[in-house]
Amino acid sequence: MQSLSMPAEQSAAPIESMERKFRTPEPFFLPGFGPNAETVALLIHGFTGSPSEFRRLGYYLHDQGYTVKAVLLPGHGTTPEDMIQTGFRDWWRAVKEAYESLQEAGYRKIIPIGHSMGGLLSLKLAMEEEVAGCVSLATPIHLGSRKVVFAWLLSFFVKYVSKRRPPGAEHITSESLAYDRTPLKCVVHFRRLLFHVKKKLNRVRVPLFIGQGELDKASLPHSAPFIYKKVASELKELKVYPNSAHGILLESDREQVYEDIGQFIARLT
C-alpha cells in the first residue's frame, strides 16, 4: 500500500514523534501503523471551515494507528473571495477525488467523517461509494436560521454577509479558522446539497455514527434523529452531547466525542 504524502518509514511511529500542528488550514495526511493502518478516517470539514477543526480528532485517531486524511474543500482555507467562485459540485469533486486517491493507494477500509456540511458530503459518499462506515457530526437537515431561505434572492444584491459569533466561542473560531464572512452564492449551493442528501438518505446502508450537540443553534438538534430514522443502516448509533453547540469537535464534550468515534471505528475494524 503506497503512502499518499509521507515517507513509508514514518508510518511505523505514533504521532508523538511528529510535530503536532494546530491552527493551520492545510489538508493533512497521517499514515497509520500496526494492525489499524489499513483503515482510513477521511475527514471532511464544514461550510466556510477548514481541516484545522479536525486536527485534534485526526491526531487522536492516528495515535490508535489509523491512517488519517483530511480534505481541504475548494474555496476554503483562503479567503471568502476564493470561496464565492466555488459551489457544491466543486466541494463534492474534492471529496470524490480524495476517496479515489485512497483507493488507488490500496486502502479499502475508508470511513468518511464529516462535520456540518462535511457531514452531508460524508453521507453522499456513503450513498454512492463503497465505504466501511460513516460518521455524521452536527449535520444540518433542519437549519436554525430562516434567512438561508432568502439567500438566492439576496445573492443578486449582496455578495457577503458577516457572521455573528456566539459569546464565548472565540477559541473555536480561532482554531477552526472559519471565515468571518459568508458568500451568499455559496449558501445557495449549500442548500442544494442539503436537499439532495436529505431526499436520498434511505440510500445510506453502511454502519453510521451520528453525533449532535444539544445546544446547536445552526444545525438544529432534531436534525440528528431525522437522519437516524431515514437511513437504511442496520448498525446505527445516535449520541447527543449536552454541553456542545455546533462546534462539536472543539467544545467541552470533545474528548467524549473523540472516544465515541474511536470506539465506533474499532467495532468496524
Side-chain angles (χ1 to χ4, degrees):
M1 187 178 300
Q2 69 185 69
S3 171
L4 296 183
S5 65
M6 292 187 177
E9 62 268 23
Q10 285 191 351
S11 64
I15 193 65
E16 280 80 6
S17 64
M18 295 186 260
E19 180 184 1
R20 295 190 186 229
K21 296 181 178 179
F22 295 99
R23 294 181 175 85
T24 169
E26 295 301 315
F28 58 94
F29 176 78
L30 306 174
F33 57 93
N36 291 333
E38 295 186 3
T39 299
V40 186
L42 179 58
L43 310 180
I44 309 169
H45 65 79
F47 186 72
T48 76
S50 79
S52 185
E53 67 191 49
F54 265 111
R55 285 187 176 272
R56 291 181 185 273
L57 174 62
Y59 294 146
Y60 176 88
L61 294 176
H62 185 261
D63 284 347
Q64 299 176 39
Y66 298 110
T67 296
V68 177
K69 181 177 177 65
V71 180
L72 176 62
L73 301 177
H76 293 72
T78 53
T79 65
E81 286 74 21
D82 285 337
M83 185 177 180
I84 204 170
Q85 304 299 324
T86 67
F88 74 90
R89 289 185 179 88
D90 303 300
W91 309 330
W92 167 242
R93 188 182 305 114
V95 172
K96 185 79 176 293
E97 289 175 353
Y99 170 83
E100 290 173 347
S101 71
L102 289 167
Q103 287 250 303
E104 291 169 3
Y107 294 99
R108 292 295 174 263
K109 293 181 180 179
I110 301 172
I111 302 171
I113 303 176
H115 172 253
S116 191
M117 185 181 76
L120 294 172
L121 292 166
S122 294
L123 290 168
K124 181 172 171 61
L125 190 64
M127 296 172 191
E128 301 185 11
E129 303 294 341
E130 291 187 19
V131 297
C134 182
V135 176
S136 164
L137 302 170
T139 300
I141 296 296
H142 303 289
L143 299 172
S145 175
R146 296 183 180 181
K147 296 178 182 178
V148 174
V149 177
F150 304 104
W152 177 81
L153 179 61
L154 290 172
S155 66
F156 288 100
F157 307 99
V158 181
K159 286 188 175 183
Y160 308 95
V161 293
S162 298
K163 284 186 178 180
R164 288 186 178 181
R165 305 296 187 186
E170 293 79 9
H171 69 289
I172 296 173
T173 302
S174 65
E175 188 160 330
S176 67
L177 300 177
Y179 293 150
D180 59 0
R181 291 178 297 139
T182 302
L184 278 174
K185 172 193 164 187
C186 295
V187 175
V188 177
H189 281 266
F190 166 77
R191 287 191 75 229
R192 289 176 184 169
L193 175 64
L194 189 159
F195 289 132
H196 169 78
V197 171
K198 181 179 179 180
K199 68 182 181 181
K200 296 183 178 181
L201 282 172
N202 62 346
R203 297 187 184 183
V204 177
R205 300 180 179 277
V206 299
L208 177 65
F209 177 88
I210 304 166
Q212 176 68 48
E214 190 173 322
L215 307 178
D216 198 336
K217 298 281 194 283
S219 173
L220 296 179
H222 55 286
S223 295
F226 183 95
I227 296 170
Y228 184 90
K229 180 179 178 181
K230 293 294 183 179
V231 297
S233 306
E234 291 186 9
L235 174 60
K236 53 185 177 180
E237 180 180 353
L238 168 59
K239 186 74 178 286
V240 177
Y241 299 92
N243 303 309
S244 293
H246 194 59
I248 189 171
L249 288 164
L250 299 174
E251 298 189 34
S252 57
D253 291 318
R254 68 188 183 199
E255 297 298 333
Q256 186 62 55
V257 174
Y258 304 164
E259 182 179 337
D260 291 341
I261 293 173
Q263 291 177 355
F264 172 75
I265 294 175
R267 288 200 294 273
L268 304 184
T269 56

